[in-house]
Amino acid sequence: MVTFATLGPEGSNHEINVRRYAAFHGLQARIECRRNFDDAFALQADGQADFVVQACLHPQVGVCIGRHHPRFRLVDVFLGPTAPMGVLTDARVARPRTLGLMPATRVYFDAGAWEQQIELGSGPEVAQKLMEGAFDSGFTELALVDRHPGRFRVDVDVGAVDVAWLVYGAEPVCHGGIVANAQAPVVRQFAV
């Protein structure tokens, strides 16, 4: 069985896309969800995980590539959508002032419209804190609105975002050249 370490908790976009990746390859896989990538790479270093998977937009991508080279390198990349996302606000709050978000999600909207921003480690963590009333608004998955009718309104609808997911492993694959898929769907667009 192959073990992947990634950013949790369960239900995060990271965990969902690692499951999709393992299924695509027909792998029996165990997924270890961690609070941060230092913990994920520690599992890999201890031999408890074979690979680490990270979204390309995560703010620590450059740090992770540099810090773990040459022991762990990028060995694959795949494309996969996030859950539909956006800013949800407590329906009782007319003028939201506080916003919970994961730092990487700032690029999707103008967070400056909220007086105070609270940074958290994952979308599910934002959802949990929003449910607890820790802030007025949160950038998280839009499905929370359907699961709790009337409790939240959608202030910003970003939708699903296609993201590149980086796979780190111990065995290098580039060997001085590029690694690309000659049958990638984009190849059809080159002929246009």
Side-chain angles (χ1 to χ4, degrees):
M1 181 177 298
V2 177
T3 301
F4 294 92
T6 195
L7 189 64
E10 286 187 28
S12 69
N13 281 310
H14 279 81
E15 190 257 350
I16 290 167
N17 276 284
V18 172
R19 287 200 185 287
R20 291 173 177 161
Y21 181 74
F24 175 83
H25 286 292
L27 298 172
Q28 291 280 13
R30 190 173 93 236
I31 301 170
E32 293 288 338
C33 293
R34 293 295 181 251
R35 287 186 57 80
N36 58 57
F37 281 102
D38 290 335
D39 291 349
F41 279 101
L43 278 180
Q44 193 174 30
D46 290 342
Q48 297 177 47
D50 302 296
F51 301 94
V52 170
V53 178
Q54 181 179 46
C56 68
L57 287 174
H58 193 278
Q60 288 187 310
V61 167
V63 169
C64 288
I65 291 171
R67 181 180 294 156
H68 300 289
H69 178 83
R71 185 167 183 191
F72 302 117
R73 299 169 184 243
L74 291 171
V75 296
D76 200 5
V77 63
F78 64 97
L79 304 178
T82 65
M85 303 179 299
V87 176
L88 304 183
T89 298
D90 184 319
R92 300 167 297 181
V93 178
R95 186 180 170 277
R97 298 171 35 154
T98 56
L99 170 73
L101 75 164
M102 184 177 164
T105 62
R106 286 182 187 282
V107 298
Y108 298 122
F109 68 106
D110 178 15
W114 286 263
E115 294 171 22
Q116 181 184 7
Q117 295 139 28
I118 299 103
E119 294 184 354
L120 297 167
S122 70
E125 194 175 355
V126 172
Q128 181 63 40
K129 294 288 188 185
L130 182 61
M131 291 288 300
E132 294 168 1
F135 28 78
D136 301 329
S137 303
F139 188 92
T140 190
E141 64 174 301
L142 297 178
L144 199 60
V145 171
D146 296 330
R147 289 196 302 266
H148 302 278
R151 182 153 181 206
F152 303 104
R153 69 173 180 269
V154 178
D155 282 348
V156 177
D157 184 343
V158 172
V161 178
D162 294 335
V163 175
W165 300 88
L166 310 175
V167 183
Y168 298 84
E171 190 173 322
V173 298
C174 286
H175 307 292
I178 69 163
V179 175
N181 179 356
Q183 281 79 44
V186 72
V187 173
R188 292 189 307 267
Q189 296 176 29
F190 296 158
V192 174

